[in-house]
Amino acid sequence: MRFCRTEHNIPIIILSDEDDDDEGDFLSSHNDSSVLIVENERNEADVSKHIEELDEDLAITYSQTATVLPHARYDCTLAFCRAEQDVSGPLQDNAKHCDQCFCYICDKLASMCELWTIPGICHCNAHKRSVYWKALRDKSLMGFLHELNFTFDPQDMDSDLRRAETSLQRFAGSLAMKYATFFLGFETSNHSASCRCSCHRSINSTTQSQTIGCKGCYKHHFKMLEYDYTVVCQHIKMFLNEAKKENPKACVVMLLGAIKLFVNHTAPGNIHAANTVSETVSMLLWRFMTKVWTLLVGFDFSGSFIKQLESFYQKLPLPSNCTLPKSLSVLPWDDFLLSAVMKGQNITGERQAKGRRHQVLCEPLVVIQARVCKLQQQNKYRELARYLKVVKSINNPTLQRMKDLVPLYLCKDGDYSGAVCHMLSLMPGATCLASRLTPQQFRAYLRILTSGHAPDVAQEFDGGNGHTIIPDPLLSTKWTPIEGSNSFKMMEVLKFALRVLDCNSIVFADSETWVYLLSVVSSNFTTPDGVPVGAFYAEPDVTYQTVTRDAARVILEELTTTSRIQIPKTFESGYPDQARLLLATQALVLRIFHSQLKPILSIIMSFRFNRWVLRWFFCSLLVRPDVLHYLLCCLLEELSDERYQLLQRKWSETEHSLVAYFLCMYFWENSVVLELNTYPTNRLLATWNESHKPWQLSLKLYLECNVAKLTPEKLKILHLIQKQGK
């Protein structure tokens, strides 16, 4: 101990560090000291001030009494005898202690240590220079964690680890009681089987024979033990929920420690019970380890802490049928390959360094799920898309479903072109994503590309087996704006839609998809709710319509043949909006030529803002009279169907007029034959009731205004309509 003063005349006491092996005569004489000396409140009158010149550099200005703080027994001023391992009894004066001496093992005052002088234990002889005593102290400090074979440094035993140790010790006791009760089983008697033994064949059997019985009685009435693991399982689940409420560090230790306590559970004798317990333990392992990997990915634990957890995990006696990964460790976020992938510097997920083995970004599925959750929470959708594009794992449908969401993540990052390109690109060993889209997913992407809004994404962990449930975010009802996104050109939207329709037979066959596509193409914009706002486009001249029909046929034929779509620049010149709508309508014509399409009524309604396109659509169908006849039959059936009656009551005059206009074209077109007493003309007349069906009144008015266009046969039909209307 040395004294010196600062420039403000404040006294300072310099002490040696108890754990440092410093050099020098002064420090070497104090390197084993755990005694701390502090200054008493000084009374100026009691301080004897004097100055003694010792040399040119050091002078003692004053001295005073010091206070001794708590210290280990071996650091006390009382004599202490050291030995490596002697527990036979107190050595020399080791049993003596001052008021501030602490037991090195128990970490409490020596006067309170119950094992201070007990032969065979003798804590009074303990000191830190002994391997034996230090190991005993480490075990005492770590408590139950030491019994579970955790290898933490006792100096790292912070509040989190102590909470984990306390919880695990309490859980071990309660779990042991539950498991012991389960192991006892419970008796059941098989009363349902009829006894065929000799002593029970006669109703007049004696009471004694029924009581004692024969071998047959033993077989049919023997009490079997059954085992129900449910109570134990519920107790383990309760501990899992308790652990989730703790801080991440305490939680991960509690989870791994709990696994050590239940991983070897089984059932005696009964094969069915043993299989049930095995399946339940496997399920619990997945639930616990899923949470462990989520914590390892989501929180920045120190490297040494993760290594200690890895060492513990490697020693776990996992069942032979366990499918958990062999290693607990996960790549840190700053791993060279992982960070390069996240930054877009590596697009393959592979790395070949000189003198090192080929490195591939491959992680367990549960780690991938945890990493995806973390990136979603941080709204790092660009990094998430890059990661999912290249990461590898076992061939699991869950991973493929996660990878199928890459276009959505790109859209949420505002990269519409990248999303479209990814959906239409061929994947190694698999078809393109566009060919696997459901009609609902396809319409969701159309909504994203035209509205600038995207659904929220989230993952939920299954409470049953620990695996991640991935609800389809494209079907979510909650949509939010995409920040910083640029509008996607409508022609690019149409090209994407046509390519998907070309490679996806399910989407191609869906009527609702065609209705939504036509509504999108004939709109100025799409609301955040996904509703296209229709627009009225001026009708081009007849020559332009004819030329556009021919050009659209060529474009779509090339798409069918080569799976590529090329739109000439001249196609949109003059009437860009009209050209897009006519191209989509021509695609609809080819769809109807391919196979039947129902309901047709909603298709017709999609042309409500541009009636001239409906006429163009009708003219495109003239080359297939059979298709026109089929559409007329379907339309009249739907108009008479009770399921559409309520819908018709909600129609405006415009919608009733649109249906009548489409039917009128069958009357106006001379190449279309309508006979009076054949179907569907007779059905139209049989269901005529213009007072309840406004579209019928509109049809009659259209025909009366264009009598000159009607053939004699169609004129007769009009006369019958007029007669029924009176």
Side-chain angles (χ1 to χ4, degrees), residues 349-384:
E350 301 181 5
R351 176 173 175 259
Q352 182 67 58
K354 293 183 179 179
R356 298 181 181 178
R357 64 182 178 87
H358 185 66
Q359 185 180 2
V360 179
L361 184 58
C362 183
E363 296 192 284
L365 181 62
V366 288
V367 175
I368 297 174
Q369 292 172 334
R371 212 178 286 282
V372 168
C373 285
K374 181 67 174 180
L375 292 172
Q376 286 180 352
Q377 293 169 2
Q378 297 174 336
N379 293 330
K380 294 183 177 180
Y381 297 111
R382 182 181 305 176
E383 291 82 357
L384 176 53

Side-chain angles (χ1 to χ4, degrees), residues 493-504:
V493 174
L494 180 57
K495 289 167 64 176
F496 159 71
L498 293 176
R499 291 189 64 183
V500 173
L501 291 166
D502 177 67
C503 68
N504 192 317

Side-chain angles (χ1 to χ4, degrees), residues 156 235 317 332 468 710 719:
D156 295 334
H235 189 66
T468 303
L710 303 181
H719 291 159

Side-chain angles (χ1 to χ4, degrees), residues 342-489:
M342 296 286 191
K343 296 175 182 177
Q345 300 169 348
N346 185 312
I347 60 174
T348 63
E350 301 181 5
R351 176 173 175 259
Q352 182 67 58
K354 293 183 179 179
R356 298 181 181 178
R357 64 182 178 87
H358 185 66
Q359 185 180 2
V360 179
L361 184 58
C362 183
E363 296 192 284
L365 181 62
V366 288
V367 175
I368 297 174
Q369 292 172 334
R371 212 178 286 282
V372 168
C373 285
K374 181 67 174 180
L375 292 172
Q376 286 180 352
Q377 293 169 2
Q378 297 174 336
N379 293 330
K380 294 183 177 180
Y381 297 111
R382 182 181 305 176
E383 291 82 357
L384 176 53
R386 292 169 177 169
Y387 172 71
L388 284 177
K389 281 182 181 179
V390 301
V391 68
K392 295 178 176 60
S393 187
I394 59 175
N395 186 16
N396 190 293
T398 301
L399 178 60
Q400 186 58 56
R401 288 196 298 271
M402 296 169 69
K403 287 178 172 287
D404 285 349
L405 292 177
V406 166
L408 174 60
Y409 299 139
L410 291 173
C411 285
K412 289 184 74 68
D413 189 57
D415 185 7
Y416 296 147
S417 298
V420 169
C421 181
H422 185 83
M423 277 189 279
L424 296 171
S425 300
L426 291 175
M427 302 297 175
T431 57
C432 66
L433 172 57
S435 65
R436 302 194 301 273
L437 292 175
T438 65
Q440 295 86 351
Q441 291 172 335
F442 173 67
R443 293 195 295 271
Y445 276 116
L446 287 182
R447 176 180 172 182
I448 293 172
L449 296 176
T450 55
S451 70
H453 287 65
D456 285 350
V457 292
Q459 291 189 354
E460 300 175 358
F461 286 98
D462 183 6
N465 57 17
H467 292 284
T468 303
I469 295 177
I470 307 178
D472 192 346
L474 291 169
L475 305 182
S476 172
T477 56
K478 184 179 180 181
W479 289 53
T480 53
I482 300 174
E483 298 181 2
S485 63
N486 297 320
S487 59
F488 204 50
K489 293 182 178 180

Side-chain angles (χ1 to χ4, degrees), residues 648-718:
Q648 293 182 43
R649 296 190 189 100
K650 297 179 180 180
W651 281 355
S652 65
E653 182 180 348
T654 301
E655 290 158 328
H656 285 285
S657 175
L658 183 67
V659 172
Y661 182 76
F662 182 75
L663 291 173
C664 259
M665 287 186 281
Y666 280 87
F667 286 84
W668 295 338
E669 179 58 45
N670 292 331
S671 62
V672 177
V673 178
L674 293 178
E675 297 181 354
L676 186 60
N677 296 317
T678 60
Y679 187 84
T681 307
N682 54 4
R683 181 181 180 85
L684 174 64
L685 295 173
T687 58
W688 193 268
N689 188 353
E690 61 187 55
S691 61
H692 290 84
K693 299 178 180 179
W695 62 268
Q696 293 182 347
L697 177 60
S698 297
L699 174 59
K700 184 180 72 172
L701 295 176
Y702 274 127
L703 295 177
E704 290 175 344
C705 293
N706 295 272
V707 173
K709 296 181 180 180
L710 303 181
T711 62
E713 188 69 19
K714 294 175 181 177
L715 191 58
K716 293 179 182 179
I717 298 174
L718 173 59

Side-chain angles (χ1 to χ4, degrees), residues 207-218:
T207 305
Q208 183 179 2
S209 65
Q210 292 179 0
T211 304
I212 298 176
C214 61
K215 292 182 179 179
C217 290
Y218 179 81

